[in-house]
Amino acid sequence: MRGARNIFDVDVDLVQTSCGFGVPLYEYDGQRTLMDSWAENKGDEGLERYQRERNVHSIDGFPTGLPLP
């Protein structure tokens, strides 16, 4: 997806299930298009600049490992 900034590589140690009795029902209305149009308006250079300025560290200050030129 153009504009996507993170990929998570995780090792799962434990998975548990839940009955789901309290989970409400929702209908899927479709995929949002906002990120695609935002990224298209930024262009390739604008996306790289945005990621360099805002995505090198997570919101809690940890390095994201984002490969930048």
Side-chain angles (χ1 to χ4, degrees):
M1 179 185 306
R2 187 177 179 153
R5 297 175 292 212
N6 289 320
I7 296 173
F8 295 92
D9 182 11
V10 299
D11 293 319
V12 178
D13 295 324
L14 177 67
V15 176
Q16 294 183 331
T17 60
S18 173
C19 66
F21 288 169
V23 178
L25 299 174
Y26 291 97
E27 266 187 52
Y28 176 73
D29 287 336
Q31 191 68 29
R32 293 177 186 239
T33 60
L34 184 59
M35 183 162 46
D36 290 336
S37 59
W38 174 84
E40 186 69 30
N41 288 335
K42 285 270 186 205
D44 291 338
E45 290 179 14
L47 281 174
E48 287 182 23
R49 184 172 46 254
Y50 181 90
Q51 290 172 346
R52 275 195 307 272
E53 292 171 358
R54 298 178 185 225
N55 299 132
V56 176
H57 293 93
S58 66
I59 60 173
D60 49 3
F62 293 105
T64 60
L66 185 68
L68 298 172

